[in-house]
PDB file of all heavy atoms in Angstrom:
ATOM      1  N   ILE I 129       7.734  -8.039 -21.557  1.00 52.00           N
ATOM      2  CA  ILE I 129       8.319  -6.726 -21.830  1.00 52.00           C
ATOM      3  C   ILE I 129       7.522  -5.649 -21.092  1.00 52.00           C
ATOM      4  O   ILE I 129       7.439  -4.505 -21.514  1.00 52.00           O
ATOM      5  CB  ILE I 129       8.369  -6.445 -23.347  1.00 52.00           C
ATOM      6  CG1 ILE I 129       8.945  -7.634 -24.088  1.00 52.00           C
ATOM      7  CG2 ILE I 129       9.252  -5.243 -23.657  1.00 52.00           C
ATOM      8  CD1 ILE I 129      10.376  -7.959 -23.739  1.00 52.00           C
ATOM      9  N   GLY I 132       4.261  -3.612 -22.872  1.00 68.00           N
ATOM     10  CA  GLY I 132       4.527  -2.884 -24.099  1.00 68.00           C
ATOM     11  C   GLY I 132       5.428  -1.684 -23.960  1.00 68.00           C
ATOM     12  O   GLY I 132       5.395  -0.778 -24.789  1.00 68.00           O
ATOM     13  N   LEU I 134       8.702  -1.730 -24.205  1.00 74.00           N
ATOM     14  CA  LEU I 134       9.658  -1.885 -25.299  1.00 74.00           C
ATOM     15  C   LEU I 134       8.984  -2.587 -26.455  1.00 74.00           C
ATOM     16  O   LEU I 134       8.076  -3.404 -26.260  1.00 74.00           O
ATOM     17  CB  LEU I 134      10.876  -2.701 -24.843  1.00 74.00           C
ATOM     18  CG  LEU I 134      11.687  -2.147 -23.665  1.00 74.00           C
ATOM     19  CD1 LEU I 134      12.817  -3.105 -23.341  1.00 74.00           C
ATOM     20  CD2 LEU I 134      12.221  -0.772 -23.972  1.00 74.00           C
ATOM     21  N   SER I 135       9.398  -2.279 -27.653  1.00 70.00           N
ATOM     22  CA  SER I 135       8.857  -2.969 -28.819  1.00 70.00           C
ATOM     23  C   SER I 135       9.267  -4.437 -28.767  1.00 70.00           C
ATOM     24  O   SER I 135      10.366  -4.770 -28.297  1.00 70.00           O
ATOM     25  CB  SER I 135       9.379  -2.330 -30.106  1.00 70.00           C
ATOM     26  OG  SER I 135      10.783  -2.482 -30.197  1.00 70.00           O
ATOM     27  N   PRO I 136       8.396  -5.355 -29.204  1.00 60.00           N
ATOM     28  CA  PRO I 136       8.701  -6.787 -29.099  1.00 60.00           C
ATOM     29  C   PRO I 136      10.006  -7.191 -29.767  1.00 60.00           C
ATOM     30  O   PRO I 136      10.654  -8.141 -29.353  1.00 60.00           O
ATOM     31  CB  PRO I 136       7.496  -7.444 -29.796  1.00 60.00           C
ATOM     32  CG  PRO I 136       6.393  -6.444 -29.664  1.00 60.00           C
ATOM     33  CD  PRO I 136       7.055  -5.107 -29.731  1.00 60.00           C
ATOM     34  N   ALA I 137      10.409  -6.461 -30.808  1.00 67.00           N
ATOM     35  CA  ALA I 137      11.627  -6.836 -31.529  1.00 67.00           C
ATOM     36  C   ALA I 137      12.880  -6.212 -30.939  1.00 67.00           C
ATOM     37  O   ALA I 137      13.977  -6.417 -31.454  1.00 67.00           O
ATOM     38  CB  ALA I 137      11.499  -6.421 -32.993  1.00 67.00           C
ATOM     39  N   ALA I 138      12.740  -5.455 -29.839  1.00 69.00           N
ATOM     40  CA  ALA I 138      13.878  -4.701 -29.314  1.00 69.00           C
ATOM     41  C   ALA I 138      14.956  -5.618 -28.755  1.00 69.00           C
ATOM     42  O   ALA I 138      16.144  -5.394 -28.977  1.00 69.00           O
ATOM     43  CB  ALA I 138      13.400  -3.718 -28.241  1.00 69.00           C
ATOM     44  N   LEU I 139      14.548  -6.640 -28.021  1.00 69.00           N
ATOM     45  CA  LEU I 139      15.519  -7.507 -27.351  1.00 69.00           C
ATOM     46  C   LEU I 139      15.448  -8.898 -27.975  1.00 69.00           C
ATOM     47  O   LEU I 139      14.904  -9.836 -27.406  1.00 69.00           O
ATOM     48  CB  LEU I 139      15.230  -7.571 -25.848  1.00 69.00           C
ATOM     49  CG  LEU I 139      15.260  -6.235 -25.114  1.00 69.00           C
ATOM     50  CD1 LEU I 139      14.892  -6.413 -23.646  1.00 69.00           C
ATOM     51  CD2 LEU I 139      16.634  -5.586 -25.224  1.00 69.00           C
ATOM     52  N   THR I 140      15.960  -9.005 -29.176  1.00 67.00           N
ATOM     53  CA  THR I 140      15.871 -10.278 -29.885  1.00 67.00           C
ATOM     54  C   THR I 140      16.877 -11.293 -29.357  1.00 67.00           C
ATOM     55  O   THR I 140      16.653 -12.490 -29.443  1.00 67.00           O
ATOM     56  CB  THR I 140      16.106 -10.052 -31.387  1.00 67.00           C
ATOM     57  OG1 THR I 140      17.349  -9.343 -31.550  1.00 67.00           O
ATOM     58  CG2 THR I 140      14.985  -9.200 -31.985  1.00 67.00           C
ATOM     59  N   SER I 192      13.729   2.023 -29.191  1.00 81.00           N
ATOM     60  CA  SER I 192      13.015   0.791 -28.838  1.00 81.00           C
ATOM     61  C   SER I 192      11.897   1.036 -27.838  1.00 81.00           C
ATOM     62  O   SER I 192      11.073   0.153 -27.602  1.00 81.00           O
ATOM     63  CB  SER I 192      13.999  -0.220 -28.244  1.00 81.00           C
ATOM     64  OG  SER I 192      14.524   0.268 -27.011  1.00 81.00           O
ATOM     65  N   VAL I 348      10.991 -14.712 -26.358  1.00 59.00           N
ATOM     66  CA  VAL I 348      11.125 -13.677 -25.345  1.00 59.00           C
ATOM     67  C   VAL I 348      10.077 -12.590 -25.449  1.00 59.00           C
ATOM     68  O   VAL I 348       9.879 -11.825 -24.508  1.00 59.00           O
ATOM     69  CB  VAL I 348      12.529 -13.035 -25.408  1.00 59.00           C
ATOM     70  CG1 VAL I 348      13.594 -14.070 -25.167  1.00 59.00           C
ATOM     71  CG2 VAL I 348      12.755 -12.319 -26.744  1.00 59.00           C
ATOM     72  N   ASP I 349       9.395 -12.478 -26.585  1.00 57.00           N
ATOM     73  CA  ASP I 349       8.440 -11.386 -26.714  1.00 57.00           C
ATOM     74  C   ASP I 349       6.993 -11.849 -26.580  1.00 57.00           C
ATOM     75  O   ASP I 349       6.073 -11.153 -26.954  1.00 57.00           O
ATOM     76  CB  ASP I 349       8.627 -10.663 -28.057  1.00 57.00           C
ATOM     77  CG  ASP I 349       8.354 -11.580 -29.241  1.00 57.00           C
ATOM     78  OD1 ASP I 349       8.335 -12.803 -29.040  1.00 57.00           O
ATOM     79  OD2 ASP I 349       8.176 -11.054 -30.353  1.00 57.00           O
ATOM     80  N   GLU I 350       6.780 -13.048 -26.038  1.00 58.00           N
ATOM     81  CA  GLU I 350       5.410 -13.483 -25.822  1.00 58.00           C
ATOM     82  C   GLU I 350       5.138 -13.608 -24.334  1.00 58.00           C
ATOM     83  O   GLU I 350       6.020 -13.475 -23.496  1.00 58.00           O
ATOM     84  CB  GLU I 350       5.160 -14.828 -26.517  1.00 58.00           C
ATOM     85  CG  GLU I 350       5.896 -15.996 -25.901  1.00 58.00           C
ATOM     86  CD  GLU I 350       5.577 -17.317 -26.597  1.00 58.00           C
ATOM     87  OE1 GLU I 350       5.089 -17.277 -27.739  1.00 58.00           O
ATOM     88  OE2 GLU I 350       5.809 -18.372 -25.983  1.00 58.00           O
TER      89      GLU I 350
END
Side-chain angles (χ1 to χ4, degrees):
I129 312 297
L134 301 178
S135 64
L139 301 177
T140 53
S192 65
V348 300
D349 63 343
E350 69 178 19

